[in-house]
Amino acid sequence: AHAQGCRVCLCATNFDDDELHTLLSTPAYRATAVDNLVSQVVAMNADGVDLDFEGMNTEDQPPLTAFTQELQAALDAALPSPWLTLATPAVDWGGAYDYDELMYASSGLFFMGYGYHWSGGDPGPVAPKEGSSLWGGYSLAWTIEDYIQYGGVLDEIFMGLPLYGRDWPSVDDSIPGEATDTSDAIIYTSAISESATYGAQWDPESTTPYYMYQDGGWHQVWYDDADSLLSKIELV
């Protein structure tokens, strides 16, 4: 990766709100985590860390900022040009992430621009480009504006896009549809292959392809392809 000019970053992941509260609210635990992360980065000749802490509680917003500041300071002391980013939500429902303070304390926020329709919800575009009367206001465009408004550091806002889709068992082929069970994730290559079999359709409201099929009932599969991803990249 280094030979191709790419950074290599250690991803630290935790999706448990209780564990995150225990870690972040205790300065000694934060210090141990910082030491462990920096030691691993240095030992492996890597370039930094990406923090993927999800399911955060609102009360942990200040200690997350403190942890980020502490980790950045330790990386600065250990590496000449360290990189520290945070994976952050498309919609911060609980107000757990202080966008501007986290931007100042790191190299930037990598917002996860997907999951607008999720496993336990009804079928629809995983990453709609724009808001619409059909799908509502939440979209990549809305998220970008939200990060600009509450973060403000433009060159520290990074958009992640999905190389996957979701397959929802559905009541019928109506759009918007109604799920009959939770959806399964489908990877990019499988979605492209299946869409050729079942017939890809295009949703202009979200700039997203989809297809439908019957297997013990209706299924709706919403995914992204090269055209939809290019359009969303151009949104930046």
Side-chain angles (χ1 to χ4, degrees):
H2 283 162
Q4 301 302 319
C6 295
R7 294 186 183 93
V8 178
C9 293
L10 171 66
C11 184
T13 302
N14 194 311
F15 297 169
D16 186 297
D17 57 347
D18 291 332
E19 291 181 1
L20 287 169
H21 177 72
T22 299
L23 166 65
L24 296 173
S25 63
T26 309
Y29 292 168
R30 294 202 309 264
T32 299
V34 167
D35 288 344
N36 288 338
L37 290 170
V38 173
S39 295
Q40 289 295 315
V41 169
V42 172
M44 298 302 294
N45 190 33
D47 302 294
V49 177
D50 177 61
L51 295 177
D52 188 7
F53 290 173
E54 301 181 33
M56 294 275 301
N57 291 322
T58 305
E59 64 183 307
D60 292 319
Q61 184 196 88
L64 174 64
T65 300
F67 179 66
T68 304
Q69 294 167 338
E70 293 155 5
L71 180 55
Q72 182 67 68
L75 288 168
D76 286 338
L79 299 171
S81 299
W83 188 256
L84 173 60
T85 52
L86 295 92
T88 49
V91 182
D92 184 11
W93 297 104
Y97 302 85
D98 190 334
Y99 290 165
D100 57 345
E101 291 298 329
L102 290 173
M103 285 182 183
Y104 296 138
S106 70
S107 303
L109 306 185
F110 180 95
F111 77 80
M112 297 173 284
Y114 38 83
Y116 295 87
H117 287 84
W118 58 94
S119 175
D122 287 324
V126 173
K129 179 180 177 180
E130 305 274 1
S132 67
S133 58
L134 182 65
W135 300 115
Y138 291 122
S139 63
L140 292 171
W142 181 93
T143 298
I144 291 172
E145 291 294 342
D146 190 49
Y147 274 74
I148 290 173
Q149 179 178 356
Y150 291 102
V153 186
L154 299 184
D155 60 356
E156 292 192 8
I157 303 172
F158 306 98
M159 181 172 73
L161 290 174
L163 294 180
Y164 75 94
R166 287 204 164 273
D167 182 332
W168 281 272
S170 304
V171 171
D172 53 28
D173 60 348
S174 299
I175 297 177
E178 180 181 350
T180 58
D181 202 346
T182 57
S183 66
D184 293 323
I186 180 169
I187 63 172
Y188 181 93
T189 50
S190 297
I192 298 300
S193 176
E194 288 190 6
S195 69
T197 300
Y198 296 115
Q201 303 183 66
W202 183 259
D203 174 46
E205 299 288 336
S206 64
T207 317
T208 304
Y210 67 95
Y211 60 90
M212 303 191 185
Y213 67 95
Q214 295 192 62
D215 181 10
W218 280 98
H219 285 252
Q220 295 193 21
V221 182
W222 293 79
Y223 65 105
D224 275 282
D225 62 9
D227 291 333
S228 69
L229 290 169
L230 175 59
S231 178
K232 294 164 188 179
I233 290 167
E234 290 173 341
L235 182 65
V236 173

